[in-house]
Amino acid sequence: MLESIRQIPIDYYVYLSTLLFVIGILGVLIRRNAIIVLMCVELMLNAVNLLLAAFSTYLGDAQGQIMVFFIMVVAAAEAAVGLGILVMIYRNTKSTDISLLDKLRN
Amino acid sequence: MSLILLFDTALILEKSILVIVLFLITLGVAAYSTYGERKVAAFIQDRLGPNRAGPFGLLQPLADGVKFFTKEDFMPNAAERWLYILAPGAFMFVACMTSAVIPWGTQLTIFPHPVDLQVADINIGILYVMGFTSLGVYGIMIGGWSSNNKYSLYGAIRASSQMISYELAMGLSIIAVVMLTGTLSLKEIAAQQTGFNWNIWYQPLGFLLFFVCSLAECNRAPFDMAECETELVGGYHTEYSSMKLGFYLFAEYINMFISCTIIATLYFGGYNFPGVDPGWLGGFMGPIVLFAKIFFFIFVFMWIRWTIPRFRYDQLMHLGWKSLIPLAILNMLLTGAGVLLFEN
Amino acid sequence: MTLYLFLTLAVVSVITALLMVFSKSPVRSVLYLILTFFAIAGQYILLNAQFLAVVHIIVYAGAIMVLFLFVLMMLNLNSDTEPQKSTVWKLIAGIASGLLLVTLVGALRGSIQISTPAKLDGRVGLVENLGRVLFTDFVVPFEIAGILFLAAMVGAVLVGKRDLQV
């Protein structure tokens, strides 16, 4: 099992992660619903996780996977606080549209 | 690891047969749990219960199945079509997946080649179970939301917040067992509890917490908020009919069966019993002992359902967050101290 | 065999991620993202990181996405209330991210050189090894992560309180 991973060049994992990361960025740019924007950030974090896990396996070093755990911690904390703030915003504005939140401009 | 093994045809055959047998047993137990539930309810309420279909009403589950299949399959106009159809299937699928990592016995020796009574011995079995338990909530949420009905949505939101809350205490009480046994593999945990050396003697509080949480995870009374008829019509499956409804009801009984199996394996020695070698009868003694324990716990689940009234929703949340989680953390601390003191 | 598994999972993850971005209904977006996470969990299993795969399922599919779905259902957001950006803006965003993709791939092409050891150790991704590394080399970050969680929990509760009296 482990040796058969050599059939896949590490480049493939790098390109896949890049693609997923760029899709995340695209989502952040074209969506206005703040909840979907948060989800796209989660997708970007996952692209990085995948890359770290791939390097960890190809180098035979566990440190990459440990880093993934720390990223998961940050992602979970971010989701909890972010969604809390979003629900609060929804209570005040009755919308989760991020373009309504530029009141401090001018 | 598992992929190399997959190329071994004999092993594929063996595991496939095991999976199919396991699947049939799970469905059979779930079907007869519905019968058992009615008989237990009848016994507790001093009635006779189902007694028309076959001797002692034993064909009742079959009749129910036929009834479910032949009823009109109704779909609300404003439902999200695909999600509405997908949800019961997803719920059923998740319920059936968990049994893969459970050690049903040691080995069957009546065949020329010893057969392991476990589909997949992964070294993180408990986490696998936790993972699939936490996925069960999607079937309920999607079903309740896609029906486009207020009562369904309320039921789904109640069910999901209940399941998320009780999962925490459940995970914490499992961690205490893991600290005690030093392994995440269910096979190891079952094998360590030989004779009468069961985990319940070391984890009485942990067992109690786990038991309450599994009642809540299965949406069983007294925690059946999700479908309490007096407030929410029928809960998250109000708009479901025919076999889609059947899937939901059936999957709940499968969940109950799996919960009882996990309780028996984690705390009550799995296939072990003092004075009984699980290798007897060509290895069939282990599963017999395990199933005896499982049926006992299924009976306890039913007994509780027909004895204790339903909680109110805020009482449920208070119990989960303000009693069970602190107790589970305390249990974890005590277990840690105990392991540290007595291990060496 | 392994290569085909990898390609299948990769295609599934990219397609579901795109569907997540372009789906009109927020609830569908969440469901597509869950499928993406399952494909990524498959990649972890392919990389022999089984513990990581299970934790990924529990944390992302079992907790974080349930939270997202819960909030979406509670606020009752659907495709009618979904705010849309103008087509021009979408076009600009598409071009910008396409350019970023081209730049990244161009920069990465041929520059990835790692030396994989001759004999790969199958125990790297197992829970025993990860636990040892986490509690020896990474004790301080682990404790800090714990404090971060506590702070996030207190923060989430405070933010969610309706009438806050300080």
Side-chain angles (χ1 to χ4, degrees):
Chain A
M1 166 71 194
L2 195 50
E3 291 301 324
S4 68
I5 198 77
R6 289 181 199 275
Q7 293 171 12
I8 312 167
I10 182 81
D11 303 48
Y12 286 16
Y13 275 107
V14 176
Y15 294 141
L16 176 62
S17 314
T18 314
L19 196 53
L20 288 177
F21 190 80
V22 171
I23 293 174
I25 289 184
L26 179 68
V28 170
L29 290 178
I30 69 170
R31 296 304 290 258
R32 272 169 61 189
N33 188 341
I35 297 177
I36 308 284
V37 171
L38 262 183
M39 272 161 50
C40 292
V41 174
E42 298 287 343
L43 179 64
M44 286 153 74
L45 287 174
N46 262 279
V48 176
N49 281 355
L50 180 60
L51 195 58
L52 278 171
F55 274 118
S56 164
T57 301
Y58 279 85
L59 290 173
D61 187 346
Q63 296 196 359
Q65 297 189 22
I66 301 286
M67 279 301 158
V68 176
F69 290 127
F70 288 127
I71 293 181
M72 281 184 190
V73 169
V74 174
E78 174 227 307
V81 177
L83 285 175
I85 293 175
L86 277 179
V87 172
M88 242 12 214
I89 290 175
Y90 184 84
R91 264 184 208 152
N92 290 326
T93 63
K94 294 288 164 221
S95 158
T96 52
D97 190 347
I98 36 170
S99 32
L100 290 178
L101 298 176
D102 56 1
K103 298 255 162 57
L104 280 181
R105 192 193 276 174
N106 306 324
Chain B
M1 181 185 71
S2 53
L3 270 184
I4 288 183
L5 296 179
L6 266 180
F7 297 114
D8 188 347
T9 23
L11 200 81
I12 291 182
L13 198 68
E14 181 192 313
K15 292 292 181 197
S16 320
I17 293 172
L18 195 60
V19 167
I20 292 168
V21 169
L22 202 55
F23 190 62
L24 291 178
I25 290 179
T26 311
L27 293 185
V29 170
Y32 273 90
S33 298
T34 60
Y35 170 76
E37 176 111 75
R38 291 174 190 188
K39 276 291 184 194
V40 170
F43 172 67
I44 287 175
Q45 297 166 349
D46 202 13
R47 293 184 285 118
L48 279 178
N51 60 354
R52 291 301 150 119
F56 305 106
L58 273 172
L59 295 178
Q60 188 68 38
L62 224 65
D64 282 341
V66 171
K67 189 191 83 176
F68 269 130
F69 270 114
T70 48
K71 277 207 165 180
E72 185 196 352
D73 193 8
F74 168 80
M75 187 183 290
N77 242 342
E80 287 263 330
R81 205 180 158 72
W82 286 108
L83 294 179
Y84 181 82
I85 297 171
L86 180 84
F91 196 51
M92 189 78 174
F93 173 75
V94 168
C96 289
M97 283 292 280
T98 324
S99 54
V101 293
I102 291 165
W104 300 95
T106 44
Q107 277 186 331
L108 288 186
T109 45
I110 50 167
F111 300 109
H113 164 76
V115 179
D116 274 326
L117 278 172
Q118 190 182 18
V119 178
D121 176 27
I122 51 179
N123 64 346
I124 39 175
I126 289 195
L127 290 180
Y128 174 91
V129 172
M130 280 299 288
F132 272 98
T133 324
S134 59
L135 293 181
V137 73
Y138 284 116
I140 295 180
M141 284 182 92
I142 298 172
W145 179 78
S146 62
S147 318
N148 211 344
N149 173 325
K150 274 179 192 152
Y151 293 115
S152 302
L153 187 64
Y154 269 117
I157 285 184
R158 278 187 179 188
S160 49
S161 50
Q162 170 184 335
M163 283 174 97
I164 299 171
S165 312
Y166 280 76
E167 227 158 64
L168 290 174
M170 197 176 198
L172 287 171
S173 50
I174 287 183
I175 285 178
V177 176
V178 171
M179 284 160 83
L180 194 70
T181 53
T183 176
L184 288 165
S185 153
L186 281 170
K187 191 179 190 175
E188 281 274 310
I189 290 178
Q192 279 181 11
Q193 309 176 58
T194 46
F196 220 39
N197 187 26
W198 295 351
N199 281 335
I200 174 78
W201 312 125
Y202 308 102
Q203 287 289 325
L205 181 60
F207 160 68
L208 202 66
L209 294 170
F210 189 88
F211 187 74
V212 175
C213 291
S214 43
L215 278 178
E217 286 285 315
C218 296
N219 281 327
R220 294 281 300 180
F223 303 108
D224 58 345
M225 288 293 111
E227 50 206 86
C228 62
E229 302 85 357
T230 43
E231 298 169 25
L232 290 180
V233 191
Y236 59 88
H237 48 53
T238 303
E239 294 284 3
Y240 279 91
S241 63
S242 182
M243 206 51 206
K244 294 200 193 78
L245 176 67
F247 257 41
Y248 269 120
L249 301 182
F250 215 63
E252 281 190 353
Y253 281 97
I254 294 180
N255 276 338
M256 185 169 80
F257 170 58
I258 298 293
S259 293
C260 294
T261 314
I262 303 278
I263 289 173
T265 310
L266 282 185
Y267 293 98
F268 287 84
Y271 46 77
N272 292 300
F273 199 79
V276 178
D277 184 359
W280 286 353
L281 301 177
F284 277 112
M285 201 60 208
I288 291 173
V289 169
L290 181 58
F291 271 96
K293 291 174 183 173
I294 293 169
F295 290 142
F296 172 73
F297 280 110
I298 290 181
F299 171 70
V300 174
F301 268 51
M302 291 170 180
W303 185 10
I304 289 177
R305 170 165 179 184
W306 296 107
T307 309
I308 301 178
R310 184 183 291 133
F311 278 75
R312 218 171 54 217
Y313 189 62
D314 59 321
Q315 290 170 333
L316 173 99
M317 283 294 160
H318 278 271
L319 179 72
W321 286 95
K322 294 188 180 167
S323 315
L324 291 186
I325 291 177
L327 277 177
I329 292 176
L330 180 74
N331 183 42
M332 210 169 81
L333 274 176
L334 290 179
T335 313
V339 169
L340 210 61
L341 275 177
F342 297 110
E343 195 75 336
N344 301 316
Chain C
M1 175 76 183
T2 314
L3 189 62
Y4 289 126
L5 273 176
F6 168 81
L7 289 177
T8 317
L9 288 170
V11 169
V12 168
S13 57
V14 169
I15 289 178
T16 49
L18 283 172
L19 284 171
M20 185 272 279
V21 169
F22 290 112
S23 161
K24 286 258 191 321
S25 149
V27 173
R28 291 204 171 192
S29 284
V30 172
L31 297 177
Y32 285 127
L33 189 59
I34 293 164
L35 288 183
T36 315
F37 286 159
F38 273 109
I40 291 178
Q43 299 279 14
Y44 289 151
I45 293 173
L46 214 55
L47 287 165
N48 209 33
Q50 300 151 7
F51 183 64
L52 191 58
V54 173
V55 171
H56 175 83
I57 293 289
I58 294 179
V59 171
Y60 279 104
I64 295 184
M65 296 323 286
V66 174
L67 208 60
F68 275 100
L69 202 56
F70 190 81
V71 170
L72 282 178
M73 287 182 183
M74 205 171 68
L75 305 184
N76 200 10
L77 301 177
N78 46 42
S79 33
D80 307 332
T81 57
E82 183 67 5
Q84 290 292 334
K85 281 194 171 162
S86 65
T87 322
V88 179
W89 179 261
K90 279 183 184 165
L91 206 65
I92 295 173
I95 292 171
S97 40
L99 283 176
L100 180 70
L101 180 66
V102 170
T103 316
L104 280 177
V105 169
L108 290 169
R109 238 175 92 98
S111 65
I112 310 151
Q113 271 157 7
I114 59 165
S115 50
T116 311
K119 182 91 186 69
L120 283 172
D121 186 1
R123 283 169 301 148
V124 165
L126 296 192
V127 60
E128 291 88 357
N129 184 47
L130 287 179
R132 198 174 319 106
V133 176
L134 188 61
F135 286 104
T136 50
D137 301 347
F138 289 90
V139 179
V140 180
F142 179 79
E143 295 294 332
I144 294 175
I147 294 174
L148 174 70
F149 257 142
L150 190 64
M153 201 170 78
V154 173
V157 170
L158 276 184
V159 166
K161 263 216 174 329
R162 206 174 275 266
D163 313 301
L164 194 60
Q165 254 126 50
V166 185

